[in-house]
């Protein structure tokens, strides 16, 4: 029986977790989130108050997106955009922090990222309509296509907007019915409150159906009486 030398015995020690790096990563992520949230909140308050900050020359590129911030609905629109930006920043920061924390815990993140990518693609294909509704709601809000209190005309309904969300627009029709329109399905919309809308004149229905229609008389032409018609005969 052969003996194995002690020098050839390999001892496997578990890899140590870099706790300091994990704490630093979490602290940096939390700090970035707090700063980003503070900046978004300040910008949202300025826009909601009607600040002229974005009217400067070097901010002309954002003026088309906020062209209607002087409207009475600017507070609601600014709050919606601020909430959307905060959620987006939160998701990005959390994902990055989780990836670095797993890396410092000696976890191979490459297969995990691959699995998450495949899962994201599958969810994207399954929720195409939902993503379409959310994107349409974002652009409706930013571009101020319509807002609460506007009278809009779509292919489905004509009515007053009661609520504008990122997925659903709630409209009260002229007959009192409440319509829930998915933003991704609104392909064409007319806003009667933003333009110079003039209602079409309705035809006069006071004339009795049995009344005979009189022939139009040309201006300046002499009128011929019944006596003159008999004498001409």
């Amino acid at each position: 029986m052969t003996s194995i030398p002690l020098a050839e015995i390999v001892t496997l020690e578990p890899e140590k977790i870099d706790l300091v790096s994990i704490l630093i990563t979490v602290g940096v992520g939390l700090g970035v989130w707090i700063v980003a949230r503070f900046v978004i909140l300040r910008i949202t308050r300025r826009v909601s108050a009607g600040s002229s900050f974005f009217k400067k020359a070097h901010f002309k590129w954002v003026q088309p997106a906020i062209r209607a911030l002087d409207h009475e609905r600017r507070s609601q629109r600014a709050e919606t955009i601020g909430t959307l930006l905060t959620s987006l920043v939160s998701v990005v920061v959390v994902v990055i922090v989780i990836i670095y924390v797993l890396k410092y815990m000696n976890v191979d993140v490459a297969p995990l990222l691959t699995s998450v990518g495949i899962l994201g693609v599958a969810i994207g294909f399954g929720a195409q309509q939902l993503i379409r509704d959310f994107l349409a709601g974002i652009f409706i809000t930013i571009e101020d296509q319509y807002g609460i209190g506007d009278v809009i005309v779509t292919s489905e309904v004509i009515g007053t907007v009661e609520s504008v969300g990122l997925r659903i627009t709630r409209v009260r029709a002229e007959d009192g019915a409440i319509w829930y329109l998915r933003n991704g399905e609104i392909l064409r919309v007319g806003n009667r409150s933003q333009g110079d809308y003039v209602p079409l004149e309705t035809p006069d229905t006071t004339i009795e159906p049995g009344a005979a229609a009189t022939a139009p008389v040309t201006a300046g032409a002499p009128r011929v009486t019944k006596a003159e018609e008999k004498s001409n005969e």
Side-chain angles (χ1 to χ4, degrees), residues 154-226:
T154 67
S155 57
E156 292 85 4
V157 64
I158 300 175
T160 304
V161 178
E162 292 191 345
S163 174
V164 181
L166 293 179
R167 194 179 72 89
I168 292 291
T169 295
R170 189 172 74 240
V171 179
R172 180 179 294 273
E174 296 177 344
D175 58 358
I178 300 296
W179 287 70
Y180 297 90
L181 307 178
R182 292 167 56 180
N183 293 329
E185 297 293 334
I186 302 177
L187 303 180
R188 185 173 58 183
V189 58
N191 194 327
R192 293 181 176 179
S193 300
Q194 289 183 350
D196 299 329
Y197 171 73
V198 178
L200 298 176
E201 296 182 358
T202 57
D204 189 6
T205 58
T206 58
I207 302 177
E208 296 180 0
T214 57
V217 179
T218 307
R223 294 181 178 271
V224 180
T225 62
K226 292 183 178 180

Side-chain angles (χ1 to χ4, degrees), residues 90-163:
S90 300
V91 171
V92 172
V93 171
V94 168
V95 170
I96 293 176
V97 169
I98 289 176
I99 291 175
Y100 275 94
V101 167
L102 293 176
K103 180 180 179 181
Y104 291 131
M105 292 178 65
N106 301 315
V107 176
D108 189 6
V109 297
L112 181 61
L113 293 178
T114 304
S115 302
V116 171
I118 296 175
L119 181 62
V121 172
I123 294 176
F125 276 110
Q128 288 183 5
Q129 187 60 53
L130 183 63
I131 296 174
R132 178 183 177 185
D133 293 338
F134 271 94
L135 291 177
I138 292 171
F139 284 106
I140 288 172
T141 303
I142 293 178
E143 297 173 357
D144 189 29
Q145 297 179 14
Y146 54 81
I148 297 175
D150 284 354
V151 178
I152 63 173
V153 180
T154 67
S155 57
E156 292 85 4
V157 64
I158 300 175
T160 304
V161 178
E162 292 191 345
S163 174

Side-chain angles (χ1 to χ4, degrees), residues 77-88:
R77 189 158 45 257
E79 183 179 354
T80 302
I81 296 174
T83 302
L84 178 65
L85 292 177
T86 302
S87 301
L88 181 62

Side-chain angles (χ1 to χ4, degrees), residues 13 35 40-41 43 57 63 129 132 137 152 159 195 206 213:
E13 297 181 356
V35 172
I40 293 173
L41 184 61
I43 294 177
Q63 290 180 4
Q129 187 60 53
R132 178 183 177 185
I152 63 173
T206 58

